[in-house]
Amino acid sequence: MNRSSNTIGSIELILAMILSGTIGYFVISSDQAFWNVVFFRCIIGAVVLGSYAYYAGLIRREYFQRSVLLMIILGGITLVGNWIFLFASFNYIPFSIATVAYHMQPLFLVLTGALITKEKLSGSLLFWLALAFVGLFLIVELDLNEISALFSGEASSDGSSALFGLLLALGAALLYTVTTLVTKKVSQVPSTFVALVQVIVGVFMLLPFADFGNLPTQTSQWIDLLILGAVLTGFMYIIMYDSFQKLPTSLIALLSFIYPITALFVDHFAFSTHISLTQILGVILILLAVSAVKFNWALPKKEPRKSLKKRA
C-alpha cells in the first residue's frame, strides 16, 4: 500500500474518531428520542452528501451496478442497525458496560479481517490490541457490582434483562464490523457516494419510527440535529469511509479506540465530570497501542535456547 495513502487515511480516521467522540454531547443536548436523532441524522446527512456528490460529479451510472449497489445497501442496513442497537442497549445496561461491549468491535474487525482478507495476524498486533482493551476498561471505570449483577442474570431497573442489553451492544459491534468490511469491499466507489446511499437507506428504515409529534421546540435543539446530520454524518462519513478504503483492518481497529478517549474529554468539558488518574493511564495505554500499530513496533522475539552438548 502507498505510504502517503496510508498516512492520509490515518489522518482522516483520527479526525473521524475525534468527531465521533462528540456525538453523545449533541444527542443529549438535542433532548430528542433516539429514533428522531438517528432519523434526522440520516435525512440531513443525505441532503449534505447528495448536494456535494451532485456538484462534484460523483453520481455516475457505473456506480449503480446491481452487485455494487446491493453491497452498499447492505452496509447501510448494518450501519443504521448498529446505531439502533447501541442506543437501545442504554435502556438495559449501564453506559460504561455498553461502551466496553460495543468496543469489542475492533477485535471482531481484526479477526474477521484475518479470515476474509487473509491479513496476517501477528503476536505483536494481538498484544497491542489487548493493551488497548485494558486502556478502555480503565477509561470507563467499570463498577464490579454492576458486572456481577449483569452476569448473575439480575434484571435492570426497568425490569428488563441486562443480558439482553449486553447482547444488543455486542450486536451493534458486529453490525458495525460488517459495515466497515463492506465499505472496504467497494473501494472502487467514492466514499461520498457510499455514505449517501447508506443514509438514504437509513431514512426509509427509520421513517415509520420517527416521532413527528415531539419535534424540537427550541432553535438550539435544531442546531444540535443540524450538526449531527451535516458535520457528524455528512462530513464525518466522507472522510471515515475514505480512510476505510485506504487502511488495513488492523490499523482501523486500533484507531477506533480514539473515539472513547475523545468522549471522555468531551464529557469532562461539557458536563464537568472528573477525570481520574486511572482514566488518564487508560488514555496513555490506548495511545501507546495505536502508535505501536501505526509505526509497526514489534515485540522483541525470544532467542531459542541452544541445547547444551554433553561433554564426552
Side-chain angles (χ1 to χ4, degrees):
M1 180 178 290
N2 187 291
R3 179 171 293 184
S4 63
S5 177
N6 188 293
T7 301
I8 293 172
S10 297
I11 293 171
E12 288 176 329
L13 189 54
I14 290 170
L15 178 56
M17 290 298 102
I18 291 174
L19 290 174
S20 293
T22 68
I23 289 174
Y25 167 78
F26 291 103
V27 170
I28 294 172
S29 180
S30 69
D31 196 27
Q32 286 285 292
F34 76 83
W35 290 109
N36 279 13
V37 171
V38 179
F39 174 75
F40 282 108
R41 187 181 181 187
C42 286
I43 200 166
I44 295 171
V47 172
V48 172
L49 289 165
S51 300
Y52 176 78
Y54 177 77
Y55 285 107
L58 298 176
I59 302 177
R60 301 176 185 174
R61 180 176 294 181
E62 59 263 32
Y63 302 149
F64 287 90
Q65 295 178 15
R66 184 178 178 181
S67 59
V68 174
L69 200 57
L70 286 176
M71 187 68 70
I72 296 173
I73 291 173
L74 171 63
I77 293 171
T78 56
L79 174 67
V80 176
N82 140 75
W83 292 340
I84 294 171
F85 277 35
L86 179 61
F87 289 154
S89 72
F90 298 160
N91 295 325
Y92 300 92
I93 56 177
F95 176 79
S96 57
I97 293 179
T99 301
V100 170
Y102 183 66
H103 279 85
M104 289 296 288
Q105 182 267 333
L107 179 59
F108 294 156
L109 184 59
V110 167
L111 295 177
T112 308
L115 290 173
I116 296 177
T117 63
K118 297 181 180 179
E119 292 181 7
K120 188 177 180 181
L121 203 58
S122 66
S124 294
L125 174 61
L126 290 175
F127 173 80
W128 297 122
L129 191 63
L131 190 67
F133 274 115
V134 172
L136 178 62
F137 273 84
L138 293 177
I139 286 177
V140 298
E141 294 187 323
L142 287 180
D143 188 322
L144 294 179
N145 293 326
E146 291 176 346
I147 298 175
S148 176
L150 181 67
F151 287 99
S152 64
E154 292 181 21
S156 58
S157 58
D158 65 354
S160 302
S161 169
L163 180 59
F164 181 63
L166 179 63
L167 291 174
L168 283 173
L170 289 173
L174 283 171
L175 289 174
Y176 188 70
T177 299
V178 175
T179 302
T180 305
L181 293 173
V182 165
T183 304
K184 287 180 66 64
K185 195 75 173 177
V186 292
S187 59
Q188 75 276 20
V189 180
S191 58
T192 302
F193 182 82
V194 174
L196 172 60
V197 173
Q198 292 184 343
V199 292
I200 290 174
V201 169
V203 171
F204 287 103
M205 283 178 64
L206 295 163
L207 183 60
F209 304 100
D211 186 2
F212 295 106
N214 291 295
L215 296 176
T217 56
Q218 300 178 13
T219 303
S220 60
Q221 292 175 300
W222 282 111
I223 292 175
D224 290 330
L225 293 177
L226 183 63
I227 292 173
L228 279 167
V231 180
L232 302 180
T233 302
F235 172 71
M236 188 184 80
Y237 274 87
I238 289 175
I239 60 173
M240 186 166 70
Y241 279 8
D242 193 52
S243 71
F244 287 172
Q245 296 173 346
K246 290 186 173 78
L247 300 175
T249 54
S250 57
L251 187 54
I252 293 172
L254 265 294
L255 290 176
S256 297
F257 283 105
I258 292 175
Y259 160 71
I261 293 176
T262 305
L264 173 69
F265 286 99
V266 169
D267 203 28
H268 171 70
F269 289 111
F271 303 109
S272 300
T273 57
H274 174 68
I275 297 179
S276 67
L277 290 176
T278 301
Q279 290 174 314
I280 292 175
L281 176 59
V283 170
I284 293 172
L285 291 180
I286 289 176
L287 292 178
L288 176 63
V290 169
S291 299
V293 174
K294 179 68 180 74
F295 298 107
N296 296 316
W297 295 347
L299 296 176
K301 295 181 179 179
K302 291 183 178 181
E303 291 289 337
R305 291 183 178 181
K306 295 180 180 179
S307 59
L308 296 175
K309 296 181 178 179
K310 293 182 179 181
R311 293 183 178 180

